[in-house]
Amino acid sequence: MAIDTTIDRLGEHVGQTVTLRGWLYNSRSSGKLLFLIVRDGTGMCQCVFEKTDATAERFSVAKHLGQESSLVVTGEVRADERSVGGYELTVSDVEVVQAAEGFPITPKAHGADFLLRNRHLWFRSKRQWAILRIRATVIDAIRRFFNDREYVLIDTPIFAPSAGEGAQTLFEVDYFGDKVYLAQTGQLYVEAACMSHRKVYCFGPTFRAERSKTRRHLTEFWMVEPEIAYCDLDEVIGVAEDLVCAIVQRVLAERRTELEILECDPSRLEAVRKPFYRITYSEAADLLRGPQAREMLERDLEQAKARVAELKREIEEKEKQRRAGGVKKWKAEKLAQEIAAAREELADREEDVRNIPHHMELAANFEWGGDLGGSDETIIARLHDRPVFVTHYPAQCKAFYMKQNADDPRLVDNFDLLAPDGYGEIIGGSQREDDLEILLRKMDEHKLDRGPYEWYLDLRRYGSVPHGGFGLGVERTVRWICRLKHIRETIPYPRMMGRIEP
């Protein structure tokens, strides 16, 4: 009798007859052999079906199944290092659950807009499967980190009466005639909770109405925000450092297969160990204006130009091959995919050629007092081989709740954590201003109406203590770990400017 199992457990059943329940990812035939690539949600397996007198009818049905048909496959498990997953099934029976036709996401290349419109089906591709499993591990690692350290989970509201960050990025909602906003952060609420439980965190969706179409921005994303009473800046930074290390170690321990699918070299994650680099905002500004940044960008520009020329030659040559007479169908399809991939890379490299001179100019002319932009963060991150904390920003470019620095009132006691390889900020945090009079002054400077914040000001009236925390963006963290070009692949259903479906 066949054993019901899943692909990820085939190693336990070598030499035994098992049944897999899944979907047809791809197939090909060679004479009397049919090679079915089956996925079942836990992995992929090549199932080899031989045509005999006894199996001829089922063989014919299986041979004509469309991509993503659902099926039940029974056969004997064999170890085979050449096969996907390391194991193969010698098929004795195939049962069709539903024969699918015309699955839109075929093995050929597709544009980003098409794939996003079909996001509900794009999930099924090998690459997206790997990304979302890594995301699930990142989220579980975050929860375990805080739960194991006795932080109390606080669920904060989605509807907020006031801004937690910049008022210019608020989504306004009509709440039974009252004007409220989708929450930009749960921070103000966990500040209240930490005065009760000492160590708390919230974890949920946040919303920013940023009119940006960059590779780093979503309008809806997930963020974890711990808050700790009786805690200074150095202690908050220590927690952030430990959290990132814990996340990376979990991914390395549990998701090596997925990293391999994404062609991510695990050695770059293995290098993520304490201590991370720490530089001040002023030191970061000096780096941007200095020779290291300029020389790096000059090299980037020359390499981008050379790659543009190389890709143009490659595309021209492959187009000639594709149009030549007598090209077999499979070869023409392969060339078409390679040309599409080359054109996509060409567009990226041409964009680099246009953007790099602008980034060089921004870096060379960076003025003290302004916030670090995306290209600035990328430059600083690329100049370090491990994550880097940038601390003590000017108060004028940061939120009202950040604590004024004791030695230099122009600064606040805050930090951003920049991921290596140019991926930029994944964490932002600070010690909070616990002095009521200073906080009131800063609210006036930011032109904030005190009314909606009276409850928040109570935290400074009744038992104020040093405290601090940070927010880690799940999607930016996943993008860095998976080495993704665009953040839209890091979340099941991305929401961006111009993208609200499915």
Side-chain angles (χ1 to χ4, degrees), residues 245-262:
C245 289
I247 292 169
V248 168
Q249 290 306 310
R250 273 289 301 281
V251 170
L252 285 169
E254 299 179 11
R255 296 297 174 205
R256 294 265 179 174
T257 297
E258 287 80 359
L259 290 171
E260 184 179 340
I261 288 170
L262 297 171

Side-chain angles (χ1 to χ4, degrees), residues 11 14 71 92 125 161 167 218 221 224 234 242 260 283 322 326 329 333 338 358 375 408 442:
V14 175
L71 71 172
S92 56
S125 76
L218 295 167
F221 56 95
V224 61
D234 283 340
D242 287 341
E260 184 179 340
E283 289 169 336
R322 189 170 66 90
K329 183 181 177 182
E333 290 177 349
E338 291 173 352
H358 179 56
S375 62
D408 186 344
K442 293 177 74 171

Side-chain angles (χ1 to χ4, degrees), residues 454-488:
E454 279 300 327
W455 70 271
Y456 181 67
L457 294 172
D458 279 347
L459 307 180
R460 276 67 177 175
R461 295 184 179 114
Y462 308 114
S464 184
V465 300
H467 63 288
F470 60 83
L472 175 143
V474 169
E475 289 75 21
R476 288 188 176 186
T477 302
V478 172
R479 180 178 177 239
W480 160 54
I481 288 174
C482 296
R483 293 184 68 84
L484 301 178
K485 184 168 68 176
H486 203 295
I487 201 167
R488 63 192 169 210

Side-chain angles (χ1 to χ4, degrees), residues 154-301:
I154 302 295
D155 296 318
T156 58
I158 297 298
F159 293 129
S162 55
E165 297 291 337
Q168 69 275 13
T169 62
L170 287 168
F171 279 112
E172 186 177 313
V173 179
D174 183 343
Y175 190 74
F176 306 108
D178 289 332
K179 185 189 296 185
V180 299
Y181 309 96
L182 296 182
Q184 299 167 307
T185 173
Q187 180 209 308
L188 306 188
Y189 295 100
V190 289
E191 280 193 60
C194 82
M195 302 303 171
S196 171
H197 298 283
R198 195 176 187 108
K199 297 191 300 183
V200 300
Y201 74 101
C202 65
F203 198 175
T206 53
F207 306 86
R208 303 280 172 88
E210 292 181 289
R211 293 187 172 276
S212 175
K213 292 186 177 181
T214 74
R215 297 172 182 176
R216 303 172 58 207
H217 285 92
L218 295 167
T219 56
E220 178 184 346
F221 56 95
W222 282 68
M223 189 157 62
V224 61
E225 298 177 90
E227 197 73 24
I228 312 158
Y230 287 103
C231 188
D232 64 19
L233 181 65
D234 283 340
E235 291 170 299
V236 175
I237 287 175
V239 174
E241 194 171 48
D242 287 341
L243 172 62
V244 171
C245 289
I247 292 169
V248 168
Q249 290 306 310
R250 273 289 301 281
V251 170
L252 285 169
E254 299 179 11
R255 296 297 174 205
R256 294 265 179 174
T257 297
E258 287 80 359
L259 290 171
E260 184 179 340
I261 288 170
L262 297 171
E263 299 180 345
C264 292
D265 180 2
S267 66
R268 47 177 286 279
L269 294 177
E270 290 165 352
V272 179
R273 297 186 178 277
K274 298 193 299 184
F276 295 171
Y277 295 104
R278 297 191 190 191
I279 62 174
T280 66
Y281 167 92
S282 294
E283 289 169 336
D286 290 340
L287 273 178
L288 289 172
R289 295 188 292 257
Q292 278 184 289
R294 184 183 66 254
E295 290 166 7
M296 181 181 72
L297 293 173
E298 287 173 348
R299 286 195 302 272
D300 289 348
L301 184 57

